[in-house]
Amino acid sequence: MNKRNFLLMSSVTMLMAACNSKSVKDIATSDKKIVVVGAGMAGLAAANMLHKLGYKVTVLEARKRIGGRVWTSRLWSDVPVDLGASWIHGEHKNPLTKLAKDLGVRRLPTNYDNSIVYGNEGKPIDNKIDKEANKIFNKLVRQVFNNASDPETIFDAIENTNLWKGLSKQQRQSVMHLLNTTIEHEFSGALNEISAVNPDDSEAFSGEDMMFPDGYGLLTDYLATGIEIKMEHAVEEIEYQNDKVVVKTNISEFLADQVIVTLPVGVLKKGSVKFIPPLPESKQQAVDVIGFGLLDKLFLRFPYVFWDKNKEILNWISDEHGRWNEWLNIAAYTEKPVLLGFNAAEYARKTEQWSDEEIVNDAMSVLRTIYGTDIPDPESWQITRWGKDPFAYGSYSFNGVGANSDSRLALAETINDRLFFAGEATSEDYPSTVHGAYLSGIEAAENISNTVLK
């Protein structure tokens, strides 16, 4: 963790302690009007902090719900499912761990080693063959990351190695499975999109990844308490050239002294929101090179559990790259007969064009290959299409060719002490994570509290 983020973590602790005191209105009461664009984790963290510090805060949210890419569905009353973010990544010293503990929100660890791998024909892979595939994969990744040069993507670099060229079809299939589940699922980008030179420059908290059996949304619900949030207000224009910032939505217009923008990179890439004047060139370049990927989910609910209830992760090595390669056994955490299938990058973009029934049928053909044709049909399902979401256009950011921590710093840069930026993609040390979004929101709030407008 660099010095900047160490100081941020320290200031988070001090600010939260101050905000929880009885004399909160004496901390930094201000007549300044703050508008926060987006009620995701970053926006809510910032708004919650500023509200407790005595600022007048309005959050503008385009959707009918809060949370952004943290989205707990309660369609099934007895088993909440997270359609967006699922885990606290690294529980030790993670600010979200403290928040969850303070709220009494249940957390359960995921053991990624508690898994099973099935071959294309549905038979469990021999342990010796699996170990060999992992050994080849690790060697290949080391060669790629040690020898890559700009502007290579991971896929470019893989094809240039002698190791890859010498693999059999079966070995390539196994390695591609691992590349999909450990890289594409992790970063949400495709192998031919992620930088081979700088695939991951992020820091990480230690400890296990923790799931929320009662829903991640309990955290965002808490942060939204007492905050003025305008739902279904899609921001269309932000004018920041004068001593006030004008934010125009599809419904109304808001005047603010300062604005925190938490728009996902996918939205910034689409140009859905007009900035007047246009964003500085350095910030636009950051938007261009930072990738914004896709990880979709399919929750299938069955009348009973027909799979190995004790295994947390179910893997399937597919003929077509990325096709239903990884499943999470929700029954291991909730005792409910639910499976969660993941699709990332190219295969996810493909399935997003299908109907619900086509997606379910495709997934069921895989499950029937593994578990037999007599398994039951699902009673119901829930499907995400983050790429088609007009308020996200994807799932989370990754390092495209040319992107690095400087790109994220440029994206986070404040403009004229009027326009502030937050969100997971602006996090120098923790991009692509909910805690990165949370900390970026806290940092934006802190920067506003330290700004004296002229």
Side-chain angles (χ1 to χ4, degrees):
M1 185 186 303
N2 64 27
K3 183 178 179 181
R4 168 178 170 271
N5 279 276
F6 174 78
L7 293 173
L8 172 59
M9 291 290 287
S10 299
S11 66
V12 168
T13 303
M14 290 187 288
L15 274 171
M16 290 185 75
C19 288
N20 289 329
S21 70
K22 292 182 180 179
S23 57
V24 65
K25 289 297 179 182
D26 297 328
I27 299 169
T29 302
S30 170
D31 291 330
K32 286 194 295 186
K33 174 67 176 176
I34 313 297
V35 166
V36 177
V37 178
M41 180 59 80
L44 292 176
N48 181 276
M49 185 66 72
L50 290 169
H51 175 71
K52 288 181 176 179
L53 289 172
Y55 290 88
K56 299 173 183 177
V57 184
T58 300
V59 178
L60 304 178
E61 172 53 51
R63 297 182 175 91
K64 297 180 181 179
R65 61 172 180 82
I66 66 167
R69 287 168 281 163
V70 174
W71 180 14
T72 299
S73 167
R74 301 191 184 278
L75 178 64
W76 300 329
S77 59
D78 60 335
V79 55
V81 296
D82 282 315
L83 301 177
S86 292
W87 286 276
I88 289 179
H89 291 288
E91 61 175 329
H92 296 156
K93 298 184 180 180
N94 191 311
L96 296 183
T97 300
K98 183 182 186 313
L99 182 61
K101 282 183 177 179
D102 290 345
L103 297 176
V105 176
R106 289 195 303 147
R107 303 168 309 285
L108 294 173
T110 295
N111 179 5
Y112 298 103
D113 291 329
N114 181 18
S115 62
I116 186 169
V117 182
Y118 296 96
N120 182 252
E121 295 180 354
K123 305 295 183 183
I125 293 293
D126 180 84
N127 190 50
K128 184 178 179 180
I129 295 175
D130 186 43
K131 284 184 176 181
E132 181 195 17
N134 276 275
K135 185 178 179 180
I136 294 171
F137 166 78
N138 290 327
K139 186 177 180 180
L140 181 67
V141 167
R142 283 195 301 271
Q143 287 187 13
V144 164
F145 297 157
N146 287 337
N147 301 314
S149 59
D150 280 327
E152 282 186 320
T153 66
I154 291 177
F155 189 72
D156 293 331
I158 287 171
E159 288 198 315
N160 287 334
T161 64
N162 290 328
L163 176 58
W164 175 256
K165 293 172 183 176
L167 296 181
S168 67
K169 179 182 178 181
Q170 183 181 12
Q171 287 173 325
R172 285 191 177 192
Q173 208 171 56
S174 295
V175 170
M176 287 300 286
H177 167 82
L178 290 167
L179 288 165
N180 175 250
T181 56
T182 62
I183 294 180
E184 292 185 322
H185 283 204
E186 179 72 16
F187 297 108
S188 78
L191 298 175
N192 61 4
E193 296 173 322
I194 303 171
S195 168
V197 175
N198 189 39
D200 184 16
D201 53 8
S202 62
E203 301 286 342
F205 290 106
S206 62
E208 297 180 282
D209 287 359
M210 309 295 286
M211 289 189 66
F212 296 90
D214 302 314
Y216 220 136
L218 293 174
L219 271 61
T220 48
D221 287 347
Y222 164 77
L223 292 173
T225 303
I227 307 297
E228 181 186 24
I229 302 176
K230 303 282 189 182
M231 302 286 198
E232 298 183 81
H233 275 67
V235 172
E236 297 175 342
E237 182 179 291
I238 300 174
E239 183 178 356
Y240 62 96
Q241 57 191 346
N242 301 312
D243 61 350
K244 296 285 185 180
V245 183
V246 181
V247 182
K248 297 179 182 179
T249 74
N250 57 318
I251 295 175
S252 188
E253 186 175 296
F254 298 84
L255 198 64
D257 293 287
Q258 293 164 306
V259 171
I260 300 176
V261 178
T262 70
L263 297 170
V265 169
V267 173
L268 294 174
K269 284 180 178 291
K270 282 284 185 180
S272 306
V273 177
K274 182 179 181 181
F275 289 88
I276 303 175
L279 294 176
E281 184 178 352
S282 61
K283 197 176 288 287
Q284 189 56 57
Q285 286 177 348
V287 170
D288 292 341
V289 298
I290 294 173
F292 202 66
L294 185 58
L295 180 67
D296 275 329
K297 296 181 174 182
L298 166 65
F299 288 90
L300 294 173
R301 181 164 190 159
F302 296 94
Y304 57 86
V305 174
F306 55 79
W307 56 92
D308 188 338
K309 184 179 178 181
N310 297 317
K311 295 292 184 183
E312 294 177 55
I313 310 291
L314 313 173
N315 292 282
W316 181 64
I317 299 177
S318 59
D319 271 335
E320 183 173 357
H321 179 65
R323 181 181 177 225
W324 304 110
N325 282 176
E326 188 173 41
W327 296 80
L328 184 67
N329 174 17
I330 301 299
Y333 309 98
T334 66
E335 300 291 325
K336 304 298 181 182
V338 177
L339 280 175
L340 164 57
F342 296 94
N343 278 322
E346 292 177 350
Y347 199 77
R349 285 193 279 267
K350 176 179 178 178
T351 58
E352 282 205 355
Q353 311 308 313
W354 299 351
S355 68
D356 284 10
E357 289 74 17
E358 287 173 320
I359 292 173
V360 172
N361 288 340
D362 190 50
M364 287 304 300
S365 71
V366 171
L367 293 178
R368 289 196 162 105
T369 297
I370 300 171
Y371 299 108
T373 56
D374 59 346
I375 64 172
D377 290 328
E379 295 178 329
S380 56
W381 56 78
Q382 297 187 55
I383 296 172
T384 69
R385 291 181 176 85
W386 287 104
K388 285 180 170 289
D389 185 331
F391 308 121
Y393 290 114
S395 300
Y396 45 89
S397 65
F398 64 87
N399 280 350
V401 172
N404 52 38
S405 59
D406 288 341
S407 308
R408 298 180 186 280
L409 286 174
L411 188 62
E413 191 69 31
T414 300
I415 303 177
N416 300 334
D417 287 336
R418 295 287 177 182
L419 215 56
F420 298 75
F421 291 80
E424 54 85 10
T426 70
S427 176
E428 179 186 6
D429 280 352
Y430 308 110
S432 314
T433 65
V434 184
H435 57 263
Y438 176 83
L439 287 171
S440 74
I442 296 295
E443 182 173 15
E446 182 187 26
N447 289 340
I448 282 180
S449 71
N450 291 332
T451 301
V452 178
L453 293 178
K454 297 178 182 180

